[in-house]
Amino acid sequence: MNAESIIRRKRDGQELSQSEIQELVKGISNNQIPDYQLAAFAMAVYFQSMNTREISDLTMAMAYSGKVMDLSGIAGIKVDKHSTGGVGDKTTLVAMPLAAAAGVPVAKMSGRGLGHTGGTIDKFESIPGFQVEMEYSEFIEQVNLINAAIVSQTGNLVPADKRLYAIRDVTATIESIPLIASSIMSKKIACGAQGIVLDVKVGQGAFMKNLDEAQQLARAMVNIGKETGRQAVALITDMEQPLGYAIGNTLEVIEAIDTLQGKGPDDLEHLSVEIAAYMVLLGKKAASIEEARQKVKSVLQSGQGLQKFLAIAAAQQGKIDVQKPFYGFGSAPVLKEVTVDESGYIAGINALGIGKAAMLLGAGREKIGAPIDYSVGIKLLNKQGDYVKKGQAIALIHAGYKNLKLAEELIRNSVQVTTEKVKKTPLIIDTVV
Ligand code: URA
């Protein structure tokens, strides 16, 4: 293979053929392409971009660079959801049981968190006893039995993306729409998804900082779906402030269970219902999005969504007692209120600042593989638009013995108060189909 000529052609803005892309990805997986050529390729794509056909070819070549999950043992259309990452984003914990209760088989593989955004696997693992590793046959069996299972992603999925991502991370080439879109979609396709509901977060606490970029990413991923015979829908949702009130693993699971009982925050319920509804639509369990919403709302109201969550936990050895305070989960030893210095309306709560504060407390990890403390985190007491009085508590820190002062300062600095009434930012900004 002549990697140099492929890099040169992309550098000069030419369109790469399917075979060139396949050759390149093969060279990435078998380490025939050295890091410096991979870095040059990533930079060429960063500047010259790729068209939809090239992005789709790259996606499929990466998806098939390692193991691909065979979900054919599960009847029905397998639908997955993916969030580009946010602060307090526990929608999977709510949307997954709702979609499963509405009849869609959800065979979910997920990852652990890194940096200021949390990971779904960490959240499930914060449930005492919950097992996120199981044999493939057990995984399929559980989905066939109760319509849902969640496992941690295995080592040999999408090795080409793993290598390319690591190079992009240190060569200032992460922020490339074709590379991000193919990276995300290759993992979803390798996990066996036939339908994919994407939640593209936009704002200070998100990967995409502005709406234009978020729309481009959403469009690129939906187009990959169309080119590769998978159905994809992308919601573009606000991440200027955290989702819900809870940030930190155990606190987020508690909030998700509250939501499944109809007593959670409005924003979390609204987004979870919308995501689950699109899962139901893509899974062909409803003929229209309106019918899908009705189905999801009905399993939420009847408690079938909660029962499905409890069934997933029971099947995976998680212990939850809905009658007990904190549902029987461990709590952090230190509670500390954060107060505001002035009276007024909350103009914004910087999600990035709150996410970093939670990470400092030990809820998230700075390095892959680092341990985390499930019980620590932040419970916001107010959201954007609320009126607060000087000295009023706006957040409750659940801490261990780490970085309490630092976290408190970060939280206080993340809340902006104004004398003017504040117009709330919409949560679901756009839907790309
Ligand atoms: N998340 C991914 O999985 N890949 C990217 O390239 C960026 C975010």
Side-chain angles (χ1 to χ4, degrees), residues 165 168 179-180 183-184 187 207:
Y165 192 88
R168 288 167 55 208
L179 295 180
I180 300 170
S183 168
I184 293 174
K187 283 178 281 220
F207 199 57

